[in-house]
Amino acid sequence: MELLREEVPVPGKSGAAHILIVEDHEPTSSAMAALLRSRLEPLRSVGGSLIVKTLPDAESALRLITHSPPDVVVMDISLPGMNGIEATRRLREIAPSVPVIINSRSDTDVYRAMAAAAGVRAFISKQHTARDLVPAILSILHDA
């Protein structure tokens, strides 16, 4: 919780940090969005903003990213239709600079290897979302 006390701006391309959550389980996507809003909003610099959008499937996410790329995508592996690994591969083709964090219950060496091969920046087990997601996003935003 010490991180929240720091006055560290969260950079974004336009003064806003845009985060897209791709998660089909609505209670999970709502909880992640609330977590990000509560933990990242206090870190915004004056005049900046935080935009967190949720989508339930990879196809919708890819359509959105084609027209309006976010600063970070947080993606589940198990999604209806196209899975998160394939979506990450396709995202690399249409928006190669958009970083992807996989957030999944499918935390095995095989899925981690597949995610790494697809080009994800981080793999976070859903068991550790509350602990690891915000630091991973901050690291990505500060490297941008």
Side-chain angles (χ1 to χ4, degrees):
M1 216 55 161
E2 286 303 310
L3 186 60
L4 291 177
R5 295 180 190 184
E6 296 178 24
E7 294 298 324
V8 179
V10 178
K13 295 177 212 166
S14 62
H18 294 82
I19 300 170
L20 173 61
I21 298 169
V22 186
E23 169 63 59
D24 63 320
H25 187 246
E26 196 281 327
T28 301
S29 65
S30 292
M32 284 194 336
L35 171 76
L36 296 179
R37 287 183 184 110
S38 70
R39 299 275 308 277
L40 293 176
E41 192 61 38
L43 300 177
R44 293 298 305 149
S45 60
V46 175
S49 63
L50 174 69
I51 300 166
V52 179
K53 182 163 181 64
T54 62
L55 290 172
D57 61 83
E59 291 84 358
S60 298
L62 292 172
R63 281 192 300 274
L64 175 76
I65 292 165
T66 299
H67 301 292
S68 180
D71 295 306
V72 179
V73 175
V74 179
M75 183 148 2
D76 190 10
I77 290 178
S78 299
L79 295 166
M82 183 186 321
N83 71 46
I85 303 285
E86 180 59 28
T88 299
R89 286 189 192 107
R90 292 190 186 183
L91 190 148
R92 296 270 69 68
E93 295 170 7
I94 61 173
S97 65
V98 174
V100 176
I101 297 171
I102 292 288
N103 182 243
S104 181
R105 290 192 201 294
S106 304
D107 187 5
T108 66
D109 290 340
V110 171
Y111 279 118
R112 284 180 176 271
M114 291 169 56
V120 303
R121 290 278 299 273
F123 190 114
I124 298 171
S125 170
K126 283 191 178 172
Q127 290 178 277
H128 303 295
T129 299
R131 180 189 75 195
D132 295 342
L133 186 58
V134 169
I137 289 172
L138 286 172
S139 175
I140 288 169
L141 291 174
H142 284 169
D143 289 346

